Amino acid sequence: MAHDVTTRSSAPVQPRAEERPRSRSRKGGNWAAWAFLAPVVIYLIAFYAYPLYRNLDLSLRHYTVRSFVQGNAPFSGLDNYREVFADATFGPALLHTLIFTFVSIAFQFAIGLALAVFFAQHFRLSATLRALFLVPWLLPLIVSASTWAWMLNSDSGIVNAAIQLVNTSTQAVNIDGVNIDPVNWLTSPQWALTSVIIANIWIGIPFNLVVLYSGLQAIPQEVHEAAAIDGATSWQRFWRVTFPLLRPVSAITLLLGLVYTLKVFDIIWIMTKGGPADASTTFATWSYRLSFGNLLPEFGPGAAVGNLLIIMALIFGLLYIRIQRRQNA
């Protein structure tokens, strides 16, 4: 009898029949999850992690055309970064990048918010006009930049033609003191950066309009009605009710606009190529010009400038995350 008890206690406990399919289904679910996750991981490695690694490697080596093809470039450490910081173009390019980015974002956001509030009134033809405002966003950048380059052309541009028409009209009605000289928008160091900023603002307004308009639609109408019953004016309702409730959407809109505007290259290169005399050169155009714009490309310094752009975008992204955490605390 004791032998039977010992035998039974020492025998391994077999899992229940209903437990085994459950463990198998759990393993199958894990494999299915990894299978769905694999394409995303492969995409991130192939198109984000590896290019970042290659760009970092380019910035830490002395590459020539031959070594770029053969892959035997000597390690140079931070020499490329020292060369970039010592270059006379670094200071103006940094200043132009900051001016181009923050002025563009400020006007894009302000105009986009004003249009979003305007279209939120749901008047007749509101949907049609809102769709027309999306045209700059839908056009390829090369088309938009080429159109602005034609419009701002010193000799045959429509903007200078309009200025000339204003001068002719004022002379015809004998108005003294009103005579605006034609502007060399793209060939003058004083106006080149302003010209590309104007074009970039025009292109970026639809994005701000769409996102902010969606944010306005998510605000309950009862909140506005309650504020109106309490006697708040239209401006008070906007500033004290609408704008605070729109803050999360505004923050992500500004962050996305910041990251996008930092790396704008097409518009500037097509309109001015960063000139004249580096008057509209930013980090994006400078990096391209170093790497591909010369007969003897400088891959290392060009990659270093590109990494500086990445660091700037990363800093602003971390600031955004910190601000969001403080607001949610």
Side-chain angles (χ1 to χ4, degrees):
M1 189 71 177
H3 177 72
D4 293 340
V5 173
T6 305
T7 305
R8 291 174 184 174
S9 61
S10 60
V13 179
Q14 297 295 329
R16 296 180 180 179
E18 62 269 14
E19 290 182 355
R20 279 175 287 181
R22 185 178 301 176
S23 62
R24 291 177 181 175
S25 64
R26 186 178 303 171
K27 290 181 180 179
N30 292 336
W31 281 110
W34 280 109
F36 280 108
L37 190 61
V40 179
V41 174
I42 294 173
Y43 173 80
L44 292 175
I45 293 175
F47 295 100
Y48 285 90
Y50 180 72
L52 286 174
Y53 162 74
R54 285 292 298 155
N55 201 63
L56 181 62
D57 180 71
L58 279 171
S59 67
L60 298 177
R61 295 181 182 274
H62 180 68
Y63 273 95
T64 61
V65 176
R66 176 177 295 180
S67 61
F68 184 80
V69 175
Q70 296 178 351
N72 57 352
F75 183 78
S76 60
L78 299 178
D79 290 347
N80 290 321
Y81 291 91
R82 297 189 187 98
E83 181 180 345
V84 166
F85 288 133
D87 198 304
T89 309
F90 176 79
L94 176 60
L95 179 62
H96 297 158
T97 301
L98 295 176
I99 293 175
F100 179 83
T101 300
F102 287 106
V103 173
S104 296
I105 289 176
F107 279 92
Q108 287 173 356
F109 180 80
I111 299 174
L113 180 58
L115 290 172
V117 173
F118 174 72
F119 286 119
Q121 307 304 316
H122 299 292
F123 54 90
R124 184 177 297 180
L125 297 180
S126 172
T128 303
L129 292 176
R130 193 168 66 249
L132 290 176
F133 269 96
L134 296 180
V135 172
W137 197 22
L138 300 176
L139 290 175
L141 285 177
I142 188 172
V143 175
S144 301
S146 300
T147 302
W148 275 99
W150 166 74
M151 292 173 59
L152 297 177
N153 186 276
S154 302
D155 300 323
S156 58
I158 190 174
V159 177
N160 277 349
I163 293 175
Q164 186 63 33
L165 182 61
V166 171
N167 292 336
T168 304
S169 301
T170 55
Q171 293 175 3
V173 295
N174 296 323
I175 300 178
D176 296 331
V178 179
N179 188 20
I180 306 174
D181 295 330
V183 179
N184 296 321
W185 297 98
L186 305 178
T187 58
S188 171
Q190 289 78 22
W191 288 100
L193 184 61
T194 303
S195 301
V196 294
I197 288 175
I198 292 173
N200 189 62
I201 290 173
W202 180 79
I203 293 172
I205 287 175
F207 171 76
N208 289 261
L209 168 61
V210 170
V211 178
L212 294 174
Y213 180 82
S214 301
L216 288 175
Q217 299 304 303
I219 299 176
Q221 188 64 30
E222 293 80 5
V223 179
H224 299 283
E225 295 175 354
I229 293 174
D230 291 338
T233 62
S234 299
W235 172 251
Q236 289 174 335
R237 291 199 301 269
F238 170 77
W239 188 248
R240 296 178 180 271
V241 178
T242 304
F243 194 69
L245 293 176
L246 200 63
R247 190 172 298 166
V249 178
S250 301
I252 193 63
T253 303
L254 291 172
L255 176 64
L256 293 175
L258 180 69
V259 173
Y260 173 78
T261 309
L262 274 174
K263 62 183 182 62
V264 167
F265 162 78
D266 317 64
I267 302 168
I268 303 174
W269 191 258
I270 293 172
M271 293 181 65
T272 64
K273 288 185 170 55
D278 292 335
S280 58
T281 296
T282 61
F283 275 180
T285 58
W286 188 26
S287 176
Y288 178 84
R289 189 175 65 195
L290 287 171
S291 301
F292 307 105
N294 299 318
L295 293 176
L296 295 176
E298 302 177 64
F299 296 113
V305 176
N307 287 332
L308 293 178
L309 265 180
I310 295 174
I311 293 173
M312 292 174 65
L314 181 62
I315 290 174
F316 289 122
L318 293 176
L319 287 176
Y320 166 77
I321 294 174
R322 186 171 183 180
I323 293 173
Q324 287 295 103
R325 287 180 177 177
R326 284 185 177 182
Q327 291 178 352
N328 296 331

